[in-house]
Amino acid sequence: RMLSSYKPKNDVKDSYKVLELEEGCSLDDVRNSYHNLAKKYHPDSSSGMADSRAFIRVEEAYRVVLGDLAAKQKSDSGEEEEDQFKSKSLQHRHYLSFEGVGIGTPSQREKQYMQFRVDRATEQVLEYRQQRLESRYAGSDLSRAQDVRQSKKVKITQAVERLVEDLIQESMAKGDFDNLSGKGKPLQKFSHSPHIDPMTHNLNRILIDNGYQPEWILLQKEIRETIERLRKSIVASRRKLGEPMTLPEQKQWGRVCEQFAEDIRKLNKRVDDFNLVVPILSRQMVHFSTDKEILRARKTYEAVLEKVSDSGAKENGGKEGQRFGWKSSLLKWLKL
């Protein structure tokens, strides 16, 4: 049946009789009748009336009836709806198992269907991952702009490196490096210790001379400067308030302490970052305690108050001494 030389032998009237239809029926009636008969006579179906010869006759009749309906419809409505009545692909496998996938025996079709399910599941997993990534990065204009800026930096760096390399090669071709002092001589070692790699030592020395500092050094400096600034700011805030503090001043001091605690929390995060990159275990830092820092600020404030009071008392004593000093000198002169 699948050979190109196959041609149906039924005429139109017999074809309508095989499909149990009458002439003048609609296209939907033809399709429904063919589907029912195909499920009834198809050899792969589980029907008790399965017959390959009867199914071949039904299929031939279906093709003849479709051609007849197409010719009638073309003569009535013209060429616009010609494609609607063309011979359709066989639909009987749609009613069988395996979603109409595969050819051959049922066992062969089952293997083909399992491979089809694996391929379909793989495609669905890939689509799900793609959608999740798109949803994660959708609307993140900031991250997208950062990526663009980073790519521009990389391009600029690569361009500068290529330019420098071209200039070096051009200078070497001109002979600008031929008369350098110390040409052909070994590099001087910056350290006489045999346990230090000369190349590593020289590279580190070059980096230090050009102002390079490791990340953990910069973080350590930033943490120290930040804690000193916070300590000075909280002492200055306490000095602005009265002694003893009134109720509004106590509320203001509470707000200052809350902001100070938030700043300490952020600083402790920087401490965590520092501990992750510091190469020496003994250089790691501990978290700053908010309560201890506030207590320290209070002690510093009290020490400042005592210092101010002592300096005021000395100034007052000096003024009184200047006031009564001429009387005591006069009495001493009279006694003499």
Side-chain angles (χ1 to χ4, degrees), residues 302-316:
E302 292 174 357
V304 170
L305 285 181
E306 292 179 359
K307 187 176 180 180
V308 171
S309 61
D310 293 341
S311 61
K314 289 181 180 179
E315 290 179 359
N316 293 331

Side-chain angles (χ1 to χ4, degrees), residues 195-320:
H195 305 289
I196 299 178
D197 182 21
M199 181 62 68
T200 303
H201 183 80
N202 293 343
L203 290 176
N204 292 335
R205 183 61 179 270
I206 292 172
L207 292 174
I208 293 172
D209 292 341
N210 288 273
Y212 173 77
Q213 292 182 347
E215 183 182 1
W216 66 275
I217 295 290
L218 298 177
L219 276 175
Q220 186 180 27
K221 182 179 179 181
E222 178 187 351
I223 291 171
R224 289 177 178 175
E225 292 178 352
T226 303
I227 191 61
E228 291 297 329
R229 177 176 54 80
L230 292 177
R231 288 170 178 172
K232 291 180 180 179
S233 64
I234 192 171
V235 172
S237 300
R238 181 63 185 88
R239 291 183 64 180
K240 292 179 181 179
L241 303 176
E243 182 63 33
M245 292 185 294
T246 61
L247 184 60
E249 290 176 345
Q250 290 179 359
K251 293 181 180 179
Q252 184 177 358
W253 173 248
R255 291 192 295 268
V256 170
C257 292
E258 291 177 358
Q259 182 62 36
F260 181 76
E262 180 66 20
D263 295 336
I264 291 295
R265 185 183 64 82
K266 294 179 180 179
L267 182 61
N268 287 332
K269 288 186 177 180
R270 301 297 293 169
V271 172
D272 294 336
D273 298 337
F274 170 78
N275 292 334
L276 290 175
V277 298
V278 63
I280 306 174
L281 186 62
S282 59
R283 291 292 185 91
Q284 289 191 344
M285 304 175 65
V286 296
H287 284 185
F288 295 96
S289 174
T290 305
D291 298 334
K292 291 182 179 180
E293 293 297 333
I294 293 176
L295 181 60
R296 178 175 180 172
R298 289 179 179 175
K299 292 182 178 179
T300 305
Y301 171 70
E302 292 174 357
V304 170
L305 285 181
E306 292 179 359
K307 187 176 180 180
V308 171
S309 61
D310 293 341
S311 61
K314 289 181 180 179
E315 290 179 359
N316 293 331
K319 291 180 181 180
E320 291 180 356

Side-chain angles (χ1 to χ4, degrees), residues 12 16 21-27 29-30 65 68-69 72:
V12 178
Y16 278 103
L21 297 172
E22 296 180 357
E23 296 185 9
C25 61
S26 63
L27 181 62
D29 295 336
V30 175
V65 171
D68 181 62
L69 291 177
K72 291 180 180 179

Side-chain angles (χ1 to χ4, degrees), residues 116-247:
F116 167 75
R117 291 186 61 187
V118 171
D119 297 338
R120 185 171 60 183
T122 304
E123 293 178 358
Q124 291 177 354
V125 169
L126 293 177
E127 291 178 358
Y128 170 73
R129 291 180 178 176
Q130 182 179 0
Q131 293 177 359
R132 187 174 62 179
L133 291 175
E134 290 177 355
S135 62
R136 180 183 300 175
Y137 293 103
S140 57
D141 296 335
L142 181 59
S143 62
R144 196 170 303 167
Q146 291 178 353
D147 294 340
V148 172
R149 288 195 296 269
Q150 188 67 22
S151 62
K152 288 182 179 179
K153 288 182 180 179
V154 172
K155 291 181 180 178
I156 292 172
T157 305
Q158 294 176 353
V160 171
E161 291 177 354
R162 288 196 299 269
L163 177 60
V164 172
E165 185 65 26
D166 293 340
L167 292 175
I168 293 174
Q169 295 296 332
E170 183 179 356
S171 299
M172 291 176 64
K174 291 180 180 179
D176 295 339
F177 296 157
D178 294 339
N179 299 324
L180 293 178
S181 60
K183 179 182 177 182
K185 298 180 181 179
L187 294 175
Q188 295 180 358
K189 297 181 180 180
F190 296 99
S191 176
H192 299 286
S193 176
H195 305 289
I196 299 178
D197 182 21
M199 181 62 68
T200 303
H201 183 80
N202 293 343
L203 290 176
N204 292 335
R205 183 61 179 270
I206 292 172
L207 292 174
I208 293 172
D209 292 341
N210 288 273
Y212 173 77
Q213 292 182 347
E215 183 182 1
W216 66 275
I217 295 290
L218 298 177
L219 276 175
Q220 186 180 27
K221 182 179 179 181
E222 178 187 351
I223 291 171
R224 289 177 178 175
E225 292 178 352
T226 303
I227 191 61
E228 291 297 329
R229 177 176 54 80
L230 292 177
R231 288 170 178 172
K232 291 180 180 179
S233 64
I234 192 171
V235 172
S237 300
R238 181 63 185 88
R239 291 183 64 180
K240 292 179 181 179
L241 303 176
E243 182 63 33
M245 292 185 294
T246 61
L247 184 60

Side-chain angles (χ1 to χ4, degrees), residues 63-114:
R63 294 177 181 271
V64 172
V65 171
L66 284 180
D68 181 62
L69 291 177
K72 291 180 180 179
Q73 187 69 19
K74 184 176 180 181
S75 61
D76 295 339
S77 60
E79 297 181 355
E80 294 180 357
E81 300 180 359
E82 181 180 0
D83 296 337
Q84 182 179 359
F85 298 97
K86 286 185 178 180
S87 177
K88 306 293 182 180
S89 60
L90 302 181
Q91 302 293 328
H92 59 275
R93 287 190 181 275
H94 176 73
Y95 296 92
L96 303 177
S97 58
F98 312 128
E99 300 182 13
V101 176
I103 58 175
T105 62
S107 60
Q108 294 174 348
R109 292 180 58 217
E110 182 179 3
K111 294 180 180 179
Q112 297 171 12
Y113 177 65
M114 295 299 295

